[in-house]
Amino acid sequence: AGNKVGTTPRVGAIVVFAPWRWASGYGHVGIVEEVNAKNGTIVISDMNYKWRNIVTKRVVSDSLGKYIY
């Protein structure tokens, strides 16, 4: 029951950042757009990271979050 979760990034997965772990005290989520296995990074898109109602796309380490598939 429920969605599969894990620590391996996949395109289209939701990345979940725990509170105070590279995110605010509430945590944060984004969508994985690209996986760069050679350098251990992912490209994510998310909203409200820099400012309210602003969509951002950026590169982060793939080890910072957990994933919902």
Side-chain angles (χ1 to χ4, degrees), residues 9-27:
R10 297 181 195 160
V11 171
I14 299 169
V15 59
V16 180
F17 301 104
W20 304 115
R21 174 85 194 243
W22 198 80
S24 72
Y26 300 105

Side-chain angles (χ1 to χ4, degrees), residues 7-9 11 15-16 22 27 29 31-32 36 40 42 44 50 55 58-59 62 67 69:
T7 57
T8 303
V11 171
V15 59
V16 180
W22 198 80
V29 296
I31 302 295
V32 177
N36 302 307
I42 55 175
I44 65 166
K50 288 188 174 185
V55 176
R58 58 190 192 262
V59 178
D62 65 8
Y67 302 90
Y69 307 113

Side-chain angles (χ1 to χ4, degrees), residues 16-61:
V16 180
F17 301 104
W20 304 115
R21 174 85 194 243
W22 198 80
S24 72
Y26 300 105
H28 197 70
V29 296
I31 302 295
V32 177
E33 301 283 344
E34 298 175 35
V35 176
N36 302 307
K38 287 184 181 181
N39 65 4
T41 62
I42 55 175
V43 176
I44 65 166
S45 61
D46 60 0
M47 190 169 190
N48 300 333
Y49 175 73
K50 288 188 174 185
W51 199 256
R52 289 186 180 156
N53 301 318
I54 300 295
V55 176
T56 54
K57 191 171 189 177
R58 58 190 192 262
V59 178
V60 299
S61 171

